[in-house]
Amino acid sequence: MDVFWYALVGLLLTGYLVLESIDFGVGMLIPLADTEAGRVRLRRTIVPLFLVNEVWLVAFGGLLFGALPLLEGELLHAQRTPVVVLLCAWFLRDAALWFRHASPGTAWRRAWDAVLPVTSLVLAAGWGIVLATLVRGLSTGDNGRADATAGDIFHPFSLLCAALVVVAGLRQGALFAGRGLPEGDALRARLDRTAKVLTPVLAGLLLVTAAVGAAVTDSPVTVGVVTAVAAVCVYASHLARGAGRTVPALLLGGVPLLALPVMVGFAHGSTVLATRSGAGDLALSRAIADDASLTLLSATVLPTLVAVALGQVWIWREFGRPAVRPAFTEA
């Protein structure tokens, strides 16, 4: 049962990263829209969905606290700097989506239009770095606890994984936003070209990440297999996109976003927080909550998660469909 709870926590984080990557991508692509109408149309593709996607992150944090309380404390301590940056970017990104139309002034809107792509980029890159440091293993602080140092954060493998999440998010965002725009639309053409250019870039990043990961981690087989599967899925996504099948293209294009959480889960076996020295390692058997807490979680959290998942499916079916609308200008 320990593995079940650890896997469920990882599944919630993976769900957040895969779905929210679309929001990251669309946010980063806002500069491609050179008209007010285009910016409004891009923004509206994610406004109904970004809060729904964030439910996965809230559920991840709650279940991490309930099922793996010691891991949450050690993880927040080790990743305190990246976590603070991610939280600030998260709040500003949501503010950019909520507050853009709070004032009719052009300067006000342009300011939030500048905040949105920057914070979306920080969020995508930040999650790539956090997960990469966990795959590679953290440094050990003077107190013997795991610690993500500047060397861990700016290590080439971490930067590669940051670029991987950014490029995958951009491609997902371009595919998702472009499908709701009319044929012949200039913005749709720019989004289509962006997705086409990013496909080989993403595949190349996966190959380079596999090579570097095999050299700097203790799990070269895990890194190699996961990235190879992701690269194949990128190629399959390209074929599906060429055949006009956008939904399969999006599903397959989301696989590279699965790669890093899967690597975290399999890279260190039963060690849920690994250090390169081994001094600050945290084993799953130590991190898991007591039996009484897990029993309570089984009775309360599991049914709630099922209901949330069903609700998410309904919301995506209702608000995630492409709705082609003519361009318009807000008053």
Side-chain angles (χ1 to χ4, degrees):
M1 285 300 291
D2 294 1
V3 174
F4 168 79
W5 289 107
Y6 181 51
L8 185 57
V9 168
L11 179 63
L12 292 174
L13 178 60
T14 302
Y16 163 77
L17 191 61
V18 171
L19 294 175
E20 189 73 352
S21 67
I22 294 174
D23 302 334
F24 298 158
V26 174
M28 288 185 282
L29 291 167
I30 286 292
L32 286 183
D34 54 2
T35 64
E36 173 65 11
R39 288 187 288 271
V40 170
R41 288 154 72 190
L42 273 183
R43 177 181 170 275
R44 285 193 172 181
T45 61
I46 59 172
V47 164
L49 299 170
F50 77 96
L51 286 177
V52 176
N53 297 338
E54 289 172 352
V55 169
W56 292 96
L57 182 60
V58 174
F60 161 75
L63 190 61
L64 181 64
F65 173 76
L68 299 157
L70 186 57
L71 174 59
E72 184 190 44
E74 292 299 312
L75 191 59
L76 290 177
H77 168 79
Q79 300 280 6
R80 55 194 179 278
T81 300
V83 166
V84 169
V85 173
L86 285 172
L87 285 174
C88 292
W90 180 18
F91 296 153
L92 284 172
R93 194 285 304 267
D94 284 14
L97 291 171
W98 280 115
F99 297 155
R100 184 182 189 272
H101 296 298
S103 171
T106 301
W108 173 269
R109 294 185 178 188
R110 291 297 175 85
W112 288 117
D113 286 340
V115 169
L116 181 57
V118 172
T119 52
S120 298
L121 174 64
V122 171
L123 281 168
W127 278 111
I129 287 172
V130 166
L131 293 171
T133 59
L134 297 178
V135 173
R136 181 170 168 259
L138 298 168
S139 298
T140 305
D142 294 336
N143 56 5
R145 299 172 69 183
D147 192 11
T149 64
D152 296 325
I153 293 171
F154 295 105
H155 189 273
F157 181 68
S158 299
L159 297 179
L160 269 175
C161 292
L164 180 64
V165 177
V166 168
V167 172
L170 281 167
R171 185 176 183 275
Q172 290 291 87
L175 289 175
F176 186 79
R179 67 183 189 143
L181 298 174
E183 293 286 348
D185 184 88
L187 179 56
R188 175 169 179 167
R190 286 193 288 271
L191 291 171
D192 287 345
R193 286 196 299 270
T194 299
K196 184 177 181 179
V197 168
L198 290 177
T199 298
V201 175
L202 180 57
L205 273 173
L206 285 166
L207 295 177
V208 175
T209 301
V212 174
V216 303
T217 69
D218 295 330
S219 306
V221 175
T222 297
V223 173
V225 170
V226 170
T227 51
V229 171
V232 170
C233 289
V234 170
Y235 179 68
S237 174
H238 173 68
L239 296 179
R241 175 180 172 272
R245 303 176 64 190
T246 308
V247 173
L250 281 166
L251 292 175
L252 290 166
V255 174
L257 280 309
L258 296 170
L260 288 176
V262 170
M263 287 185 210
V264 172
F266 286 94
H268 304 289
S270 61
T271 301
V272 294
L273 187 63
T275 60
R276 294 188 302 282
S277 68
D281 285 2
L282 178 63
L284 177 59
S285 58
R286 287 181 53 218
I288 200 73
D290 57 78
D291 291 341
S293 298
L294 295 179
T295 300
L296 180 61
L297 288 175
S298 300
T300 57
V301 172
L302 292 183
T304 302
L305 289 179
V306 172
V308 168
L310 293 175
Q312 295 248 333
V313 170
W314 179 82
I315 291 172
W316 269 86
R317 285 176 61 89
E318 290 297 316
F319 297 102
R321 296 173 181 174
V324 177
R325 300 183 181 92
F328 66 93
T329 303
E330 291 197 349

